[in-house]
Amino acid sequence: MKEPSEGVPPVVDTAEALAETVRRLREGTGAFAVDSERAAGFRYSQRAYLVQVRRAGSGTHLIDPIPLADGLDELREVMASDEWILHAASQDLPCLRELGLEPPSVFDTELAGRLLGRRLVGLGSMVEDLIGVSLAKEHSASDWSVRPISESGRAYAALDVEFLVPLRDLLRAELARTGKTEWAEQEFEHALSLPEAPPRPDPWRRTHQIGNVRTARGLAVVRELWTARDEIAQRLDIAPGRLVNDRAITALAARDPLPPELPNARDWRRHDPERWKAAYARALSLPGGELPPRRGPSRGGLPEPRSWPRVNPPAAARLAAVKEAVRLRAEALEVPQENLLSPATQRRIAWESTRPSLGELEAIASRDGARPWQIENVGAAITEALIGLAKGPASR
């Protein structure tokens, strides 16, 4: 299917067109099928460059929020009146909230698919499998900041919300049949209440191929060039990798010895060359005490699991037991392991549960954000595994 059933809608990019869209949405009924398009890989920001909304009796609307950002009050009001259906809500909600668009409740079709144990949970795969329609996906990696949006791009965007309502209805029935409705409702509420993720410590350490950099001075080069790139990219609103890719940074930082000056390569001559030179010179001149350590801070206050056998062998053994218990229960329940209990919570339990009991485990998991359905379905199995581990091989 290459075009929506009601034709390719125009882009709503004037106050008059938006007023008509709001009027039609008010006259519609039921949930709002919602999606957004960003320009990931092209722009630094994660803002929405297009918002797609469909409602029964209203049709599909493609709203350009860039020229309308200061005039969305009535759209916010009408869209707060009923449930939103999204696919992978965690990807869309942040940029929609930047526009002040807030759902009263959500149904996440991707998350429902995961809870039902579906192997493929992409929107196209689920629509094809459950509804029998194959969606054209040639614009999935498009730069949505480019104007005007082509007719084929508008068709693609409209198709992303065309089948969300019937898809929700089918998934809701399957959740009820399998006894997983309450699980889904808890997950949807959790997705809606998730706070903005805190900044990652030392984000420069995620630079591709940083493992090839063997010296502290080389790591300083990565850090300073990554920081310079991020600042330039943010100022220009360009995706960092489009300024200088990760491999250029790590390839330079891995050289031994490091060149005394920034090489006169094309990568470093574009977009504020003096800023690049200053960043490289600073990395070379830092005192030894200010060089970054080989390993950075961990998220959540726990060491990296690969270090546990060395720094805390009992916790490493508990983690293996926790993972196995979660794996077995996930298979029995036909739910992905990471959806049954997040890897971060598994690590937290293994690190802190030194005297395992169900009460202790429930307290740790709840404090870490686990939902009641998760604890009910895996808590006893983890507790039993940890108690058996504490008693030794004879008890297993």
Side-chain angles (χ1 to χ4, degrees):
M1 189 170 185
K2 294 185 177 181
E3 288 193 3
S5 58
E6 299 161 359
V8 180
V11 173
V12 176
D13 56 5
T14 67
E16 294 76 18
L18 180 61
E20 174 63 13
T21 287
V22 169
R23 183 190 68 78
R24 290 171 60 188
L25 288 172
R26 288 191 195 281
E27 292 178 353
T29 58
F32 298 89
V34 182
D35 191 25
S36 67
E37 304 295 347
R38 298 173 295 282
F42 297 93
R43 298 289 184 175
Y44 183 91
S45 71
Q46 293 300 307
R47 69 190 301 182
Y49 284 93
L50 192 69
V51 177
Q52 303 101 287
V53 185
R54 180 175 177 82
R55 195 181 197 192
S58 163
T60 297
H61 309 272
L62 307 180
I63 302 166
D64 183 349
I66 305 304
L68 300 173
D70 296 328
L72 297 175
D73 287 349
E74 290 189 351
L75 180 66
R76 294 174 187 130
E77 179 185 351
V78 69
M79 288 186 63
S81 65
D82 212 320
E83 176 184 77
W84 291 13
I85 309 169
L86 304 106
H87 190 81
S90 61
Q91 297 180 24
D92 293 297
L93 285 176
C95 68
L96 293 169
R97 282 170 166 158
E98 282 186 8
L99 299 171
L101 299 171
E102 184 71 36
S105 60
V106 299
F107 188 103
D108 187 333
T109 52
E110 184 204 44
L111 190 47
R114 290 182 178 277
L115 294 177
L116 289 168
R118 300 191 65 84
R119 187 174 63 86
L120 299 176
V121 293
L123 178 61
S125 298
M126 293 178 70
V127 168
E128 185 168 3
D129 187 34
L130 292 173
I131 300 177
V133 175
S134 176
L135 300 179
K137 302 298 287 183
E138 63 266 21
H139 289 275
S140 58
S142 294
D143 181 358
W144 291 94
S145 68
V146 173
R147 296 294 184 270
I149 300 174
S150 67
E151 182 174 358
S152 62
R154 288 184 282 121
Y156 164 88
L159 286 172
D160 272 351
V161 293
E162 176 98 1
F163 295 99
L164 284 180
V165 171
L167 183 61
R168 177 211 52 185
D169 294 343
L170 291 168
L171 293 170
R172 180 176 281 170
E174 184 67 8
L175 288 168
R177 187 186 69 78
T178 56
K180 295 180 177 180
T181 297
E182 177 62 27
W183 303 4
E185 289 176 351
Q186 290 183 28
E187 288 301 293
F188 298 159
E189 180 62 31
H190 177 70
L192 195 57
S193 63
L194 273 177
E196 185 177 348
R200 182 182 294 273
D202 286 0
W204 59 270
R205 290 184 182 273
R206 292 173 62 83
T207 306
H208 187 60
Q209 294 186 345
I210 196 172
N212 295 337
V213 181
R214 303 297 183 183
T215 67
R217 185 70 61 184
L219 289 176
V221 169
V222 176
R223 181 181 66 187
E224 297 303 323
L225 291 179
W226 186 98
T227 302
R229 183 183 67 174
D230 195 67
E231 292 171 353
I232 297 169
Q234 185 172 12
R235 174 165 53 83
L236 299 176
D237 194 17
I238 297 175
R242 288 186 167 264
L243 294 177
V244 176
N245 66 43
D246 280 7
R247 288 183 178 86
I249 293 176
T250 51
L252 173 59
R255 290 173 63 174
D256 188 16
L258 290 164
E261 294 181 349
L262 189 70
N264 189 32
R266 182 172 179 269
D267 281 333
W268 317 113
R269 295 199 307 269
R270 298 181 302 167
H271 306 297
D272 203 348
E274 295 304 315
R275 178 72 181 85
W276 293 115
K277 291 178 183 178
Y280 186 74
R282 182 166 53 255
L284 295 190
S285 64
L286 283 172
E290 296 181 20
L291 296 176
R294 183 66 188 166
R295 298 198 183 280
S298 60
R299 299 188 75 180
L302 298 181
E304 289 297 323
R306 61 176 173 266
S307 71
W308 289 19
R310 175 175 51 85
V311 301
N312 192 339
R318 291 194 296 270
L319 182 57
V322 169
K323 287 182 175 180
E324 180 65 5
V326 172
R327 183 187 70 80
L328 292 174
R329 286 296 293 150
E331 289 180 357
L333 296 169
E334 297 184 326
V335 174
Q337 298 176 46
E338 65 273 17
N339 291 104
L340 180 55
L341 193 66
S342 76
T345 300
Q346 294 180 45
R347 292 191 294 270
R348 178 68 62 185
I349 290 170
W351 188 264
E352 295 185 7
S353 187
T354 56
R355 295 182 178 178
S357 68
L358 183 57
E360 179 193 57
L361 184 144
E362 289 176 346
I364 295 170
S366 296
R367 189 173 68 246
D368 211 57
R371 274 69 75 198
W373 78 268
Q374 295 175 314
I375 298 172
E376 290 169 7
N377 279 284
V378 79
I382 294 177
T383 303
E384 181 179 350
L386 292 179
I387 290 174
L389 179 68
K391 290 180 177 179
S395 66
R396 301 194 293 274

